[in-house]
Structure formats: C-alpha cells, structure tokens
Amino acid sequence: FPVTIMQAFRQYLDHNPQISTVNKLVLVGNGSSKDIQDVQNEILKNNLNKEIKLVLGCSDNQLVELLTKSSGFIYPSLFEGFGIPLFEAASCGIPIALSNIEVFEEFKEFLSDVNFFDPLSVESISTALVQLNLKFKDSNIRNEQSVLSKNDREKISSINLNYDRLLNQIDRSVFAENLMNIYLGNPNP
C-alpha cells in the first residue's frame, strides 16, 4: 500500500499545486530492508523526495510529536486487527481518514467525523487527502473539536491517555487492553 498512497499523494499535489510547498507526507513504520528500499525507490520514481519523509523505528514520544504536528492521519490498511494507530491519532485530535475495510467500519459509532476511502484506489486516497486538508484548514475543527465525541474523550482521559505519563506507568499490553475495554463500552473493568 505505500506505493498506492504515494501515487495518491502525487495526484493530490498535482491537482493542488498551491499547497505542494506546504504539505508533506510522513510515512511512519518499519519493514524489511527490501520493503524500505522499494518505498525509497517509489519516492524517487514519483519525484517526491522533497514531499515525503520516511520515518523508521520512531519512539512512542516521536510518534506523538509527529501526530500532534500533523494536519491529518491517513490509514490505508488492507487488514487490521484493532487499529491502535488510529486511536493514537484520534487522541491527538487530528482529522482521520481510514480504509473502508470492515473492521474500521465498526469505528463509525465510536469516532465521529472520520472519512473512509478505498485503500486500493489512488483516486479515493487522493480525495481523502483533500478532505483531510480541508478539515485541517477549518480552524474550528482543529482547535475546538476533536474526532472523538466529548463522551469518548472523557472515557479516554479516564485511563490517563497522557502519553508521557502513560508510557512511564503501563506497558503496551495494558494500554491495548484498556483501549479494548473502551471500545467495548467498559472503561472501568
């Protein structure tokens, strides 16, 4: 999927030349050296070496910093078991676009104002990028709202979703368990 999202980003920039110097795509993750080389080659092939930043093996603190400084989070997953990255993005209050896969469709009730797209369609991903940019530009969305409802924010704050404190207090398995409890509507098991 990195190839599809890069092609979609290229299309997004080509159709919106006024923002090409402002918006950057940050790809975060890990992979085999072959996968990383394929991504780097695709970046060069699409002439996106100035527009795409590849971040490998970032720490939890670096991830939070990247999310809080971003204008949106796009998650082009083809298969996902639970989707902790989307909750990390939601907790930072940034606009979110998700693959229209079945497991993410379940989040419609939990996360408000999320855009869905076809993860195999360059056009669909490009449209999602435009929608994220529009949402970010609307200062009311960025500064006064979150993709989480007030009730959801209260649930998440009830498990101390302050990343600096969280990372020092509990391990990832406890964090994942608490998020699952919130998702199931049982924030205090």
Side-chain angles (χ1 to χ4, degrees), residues 30-42 54:
N30 292 311
S32 70
S33 57
K34 182 192 179 320
D35 291 340
I36 293 166
Q37 187 61 52
D38 289 347
V39 169
Q40 291 170 333
N41 289 340
E42 193 65 28
L54 185 58

Side-chain angles (χ1 to χ4, degrees), residues 114-132:
V114 172
N115 292 325
F116 290 90
F117 61 89
D118 177 353
L120 300 174
S121 166
V122 170
E123 184 67 36
S124 183
I125 296 171
S126 182
T127 299
L129 289 167
V130 170
Q131 292 168 340
L132 286 178

Side-chain angles (χ1 to χ4, degrees), residues 7-166:
Q7 291 170 344
F9 191 64
R10 172 81 274 154
Q11 181 176 323
Y12 166 75
L13 293 175
D14 290 346
H15 288 96
N16 301 280
Q18 72 281 8
I19 60 169
S20 65
T21 59
V22 178
N23 288 38
K24 305 288 184 232
L25 178 65
V26 179
L27 299 176
V28 178
N30 292 311
S32 70
S33 57
K34 182 192 179 320
D35 291 340
I36 293 166
Q37 187 61 52
D38 289 347
V39 169
Q40 291 170 333
N41 289 340
E42 193 65 28
I43 290 170
L44 293 173
K45 176 182 164 188
N46 284 288
N47 195 27
L48 291 167
N49 49 322
K50 292 181 182 177
E51 290 84 5
I52 293 181
K53 180 179 180 179
L54 185 58
V55 178
L56 303 170
C58 72
S59 70
D60 291 331
N61 288 336
Q62 290 171 315
L63 179 61
V64 171
E65 183 178 349
L66 286 170
L67 287 170
T68 56
K69 290 181 178 180
S70 72
S71 58
F73 176 77
I74 189 160
Y75 201 23
S77 182
L78 298 175
F79 171 81
E80 188 62 41
F82 182 64
I84 288 178
L86 75 95
F87 280 101
E88 292 169 329
S91 70
C92 293
I94 58 175
I96 295 175
L98 299 173
S99 298
N100 60 358
I101 59 176
E102 187 175 341
V103 69
F104 287 163
E105 294 286 333
E106 296 176 17
F107 291 113
K108 283 182 179 177
E109 294 179 31
F110 186 69
L111 298 172
S112 60
D113 199 30
V114 172
N115 292 325
F116 290 90
F117 61 89
D118 177 353
L120 300 174
S121 166
V122 170
E123 184 67 36
S124 183
I125 296 171
S126 182
T127 299
L129 289 167
V130 170
Q131 292 168 340
L132 286 178
N133 189 52
L134 292 173
K135 286 182 181 185
F136 181 73
K137 282 184 174 182
D138 182 351
S139 63
N140 291 330
I141 296 281
R142 179 68 170 164
N143 297 324
E144 297 173 14
Q145 286 185 347
S146 170
V147 292
L148 296 175
S149 70
K150 181 180 178 186
N151 185 41
D152 295 336
R153 286 192 305 272
E154 289 171 0
K155 287 178 184 177
I156 287 178
S157 67
S158 75
I159 63 163
N160 298 320
L161 195 57
N162 175 319
Y163 281 96
D164 290 333
R165 289 181 27 216
L166 178 68

